[in-house]
């Protein structure tokens, strides 16, 4: 039987919180862009992060731990900054793309920290985290390309 440590639970809850924040952030971005393509992309990303959250919650519960329930105050502040930036920016689409890239880079780093931590992860947890990270990485490349087109 795998010994699921409190440290692993804390790390996964940290990622869960970041996914709550990212979901809300993408919803904010979708509301602030003018492009239908970007609105659709950001809505898809919000749904993806919601799904990631559900997968993390299920994984945390499968090892008898309790998942966190909400986002962070840092995430709330970042969304307020996104709204302000969109309001004052001459190109809200580009501003939201920049914020999306910044957020995705941070997410990739956070996932890598947990994947590469000294804590031994169960194979199921490792697989989930790598799938999430790879999806985020692929979309970061897409978002960067969209930013270059702008």
């Amino acid at each position: 039987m795998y010994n699921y440590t409190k440290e692993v639970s804390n790390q996964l809850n940290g990622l869960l919180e970041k996914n709550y924040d990212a979901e809300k952030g993408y919803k904010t971005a979708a509301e602030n862009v003018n492009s239908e393509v970007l609105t659709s992309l950001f809505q898809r990303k919000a749904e993806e992060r919601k799904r990631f959250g559900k997968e993390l919650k299920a994984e945390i519960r499968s090892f008898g731990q309790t998942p966190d329930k909400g986002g962070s105050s840092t995430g709330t502040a970042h969304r307020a900054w996104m709204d302000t930036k969109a309001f004052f920016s001459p190109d809200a689409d580009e501003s939201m793309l920049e914020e999306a890239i910044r957020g995705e880079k941070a997410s990739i780093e956070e996932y890598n920290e947990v994947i590469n931590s000294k804590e031994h992860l169960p194979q199921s947890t490792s697989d989930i985290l790598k799938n999430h990270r790879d999806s985020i990485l692929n979309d970061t490349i897409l978002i960067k390309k969209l930013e270059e087109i702008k």
Side-chain angles (χ1 to χ4, degrees), residues 3-13 65-66 119:
N3 183 17
Y4 194 82
T5 67
K6 187 67 177 164
E7 179 62 27
V8 171
S9 178
N10 288 340
Q11 290 175 329
L12 293 184
N13 271 304
Q65 300 295 315
T66 304
E119 292 293 323

Side-chain angles (χ1 to χ4, degrees), residues 63-131:
F63 289 98
Q65 300 295 315
T66 304
D68 287 344
K69 301 224 184 283
S72 68
S73 57
T74 304
T76 302
H78 185 248
R79 287 188 298 281
W81 168 244
M82 289 172 68
D83 286 335
T84 302
K85 192 172 181 181
F87 181 76
F88 288 109
S89 175
D91 188 349
D93 290 2
E94 185 173 342
S95 294
M96 294 302 102
L97 284 168
E98 289 170 1
E99 290 302 313
I101 291 168
R102 193 166 69 81
E104 293 296 60
K105 285 180 178 180
S107 290
I108 292 166
E109 288 175 14
E110 291 160 0
Y111 270 89
N112 281 336
E113 283 178 21
V114 177
I115 292 166
N116 298 322
S117 74
K118 60 185 171 199
E119 292 293 323
H120 179 71
L121 298 174
Q123 188 62 49
S124 60
T125 303
S126 180
D127 290 345
I128 289 169
L129 298 183
K130 288 176 182 175
N131 286 334

Side-chain angles (χ1 to χ4, degrees), residues 54-73:
K54 287 180 180 181
E55 290 173 1
L56 287 169
K57 282 193 270 188
E59 186 71 2
I60 292 166
R61 285 188 185 116
S62 75
F63 289 98
Q65 300 295 315
T66 304
D68 287 344
K69 301 224 184 283
S72 68
S73 57

